[in-house]
Amino acid sequence: MKKTALFAAIALMVAAPAFAQGGPPASVPVAAPAEADAIPLYGDKTPGSGASENWVKFGGTSLAVRNVTRPTITPVLPDPAKATGAAVVVAPGGAFMLLAMDHEGWAVARALADRGIAAFVLKYRLNPTPKDEAEAGKFMGQALMKEVGHPMTGELLGKSMAPADGKTAIAWVRANAARYGIDPARVGMMGFSAGAMTTRRVGLDADTPSRPAFLGYIYGPQDAEPVSADAPPMFNAIALNDSLFPNKGFPIAQAYLEAKRPVEIHGYQTGDHGFGLGVPGTTTTLLIDQFTAWLKMQGFLTRKDSK
């Protein structure tokens, strides 16, 4: 496993040894962006405050945030001329303690919108971390290392409000479908790392009031769990040299096959954890186009009014 120039072990290119060898690479605190299009997820009943948030920038360009207590959803819409009527709730990752808002949120949403898919970036509530950046890095590293081998049953997910916010986000997009020209039957969810784990819980939990139409499960743990007969189709992508979730094969995909539910696997030769829209020079750069092609194959990009 390797160090990276970004906050590897938490959000962007996870590499656990970065913490064992003195903490994560430096991040630069910045003022919170305006987020003019962000909508409070629970309307007037939305909890928390934006004042709790700690924003940082990695590599001079990539924004991330900690200590989110006020969940929001931000629409990123396609040109009406090429809109398909499909929609995706995008859940960034960051070990449930940070959100890689640029890398796995807004950039992904723009890529989807460019392909005619309405995207809604979910800024879900996070487990609290120290305000000080150095203390936060050590805290997050220690918390992550405690459960790296069993993330789906660990406290980071277990204590997180992310699944609840994810379920609300799917319901919110469906409730506002007419406003955005969306078919409520074609609203899915795509998540990265912790966002993938959130997506999995939203899609597979028995108490989900209304399941997403489809799941984009991007570098999430491959551990098996029971899959119901009405589980949403899953697009599952991970690099085979993933540092955070070492290769265990594809047990979750096998569970899908046993349940006779649609699943597609992309095991990229290289790309590590946190490749986002792709690492230049690797086939991970094909992710969004492959996901879009899969959605088209499943019929999710075909409008009801199409001939």
Side-chain angles (χ1 to χ4, degrees):
M1 292 188 280
K2 59 185 180 181
K3 293 183 180 180
T4 72
L6 298 176
F7 197 7
I10 297 298
L12 307 179
M13 289 286 288
V14 175
F19 292 97
Q21 298 173 24
S27 57
V28 179
V30 295
E35 294 189 278
D37 297 327
I39 300 167
L41 184 60
Y42 296 87
D44 293 340
K45 296 181 180 179
T46 301
S49 168
S52 69
E53 296 175 0
N54 301 108
W55 286 83
V56 295
K57 189 173 284 188
F58 298 102
T61 59
S62 192
L63 284 166
V65 63
R66 294 186 293 104
N67 291 320
V68 173
T69 60
R70 184 172 177 79
T72 63
I73 191 165
T74 300
V76 180
L77 304 177
D79 183 328
K82 60 181 179 181
T84 62
V88 175
V89 171
V90 178
F96 301 103
M97 296 176 286
L98 177 145
L99 291 176
M101 294 300 295
D102 268 325
H103 186 65
E104 297 168 345
W106 299 322
V108 172
R110 290 191 296 268
L112 291 168
D114 285 345
R115 290 157 177 80
I117 302 166
F120 295 83
V121 180
L122 175 62
K123 187 169 77 172
Y124 52 84
R125 285 172 284 180
L126 295 173
N127 297 337
T129 54
K131 184 175 181 179
D132 178 79
E133 280 302 305
E135 291 182 18
K138 294 176 183 178
F139 177 90
M140 291 188 285
Q142 291 168 0
L144 187 65
M145 290 298 291
K146 286 179 181 178
E147 55 189 63
V148 120
H150 56 97
M152 295 304 300
T153 58
E155 289 189 359
L156 290 173
L157 172 58
K159 292 182 177 180
S160 174
M161 296 302 295
D165 289 346
K167 293 170 188 179
T168 299
I170 293 293
W172 187 94
V173 174
R174 286 200 169 120
N176 289 275
R179 173 182 174 186
Y180 295 108
I182 292 166
D183 179 356
R186 292 187 287 134
V187 177
M189 189 167 183
M190 183 181 203
F192 297 74
S193 193
M197 295 163 67
T198 300
T199 296
R200 180 164 160 175
R201 291 278 52 84
V202 173
L204 300 186
D205 279 354
D207 67 347
T208 301
S210 180
R211 295 184 188 277
F214 54 85
L215 308 178
Y217 189 65
I218 315 303
Y219 42 86
Q222 297 299 306
D223 311 62
E225 70 174 273
V227 173
S228 66
D230 62 346
M234 174 186 278
F235 177 93
N236 180 2
I238 192 168
L240 297 179
N241 67 336
D242 191 294
S243 294
L244 186 63
F245 303 132
N247 188 3
K248 297 180 179 179
F250 298 93
I252 185 60
Q254 185 61 41
Y256 256 76
L257 292 174
E258 291 170 1
K260 295 181 169 50
R261 297 302 297 148
V263 62
E264 179 157 318
I265 305 167
H266 290 262
Y268 299 113
Q269 176 180 328
T270 187
D272 211 312
H273 191 86
F275 55 75
L277 291 177
V279 177
T282 77
T283 50
T284 59
T285 56
L286 300 173
L287 172 72
I288 291 295
D289 285 333
Q290 290 169 339
F291 178 60
T292 303
W294 177 79
L295 290 177
K296 184 176 181 180
M297 182 178 73
Q298 301 296 320
F300 289 119
L301 301 188
T302 303
R303 298 191 66 98
K304 288 181 178 179
D305 54 6
S306 298
K307 293 183 179 180

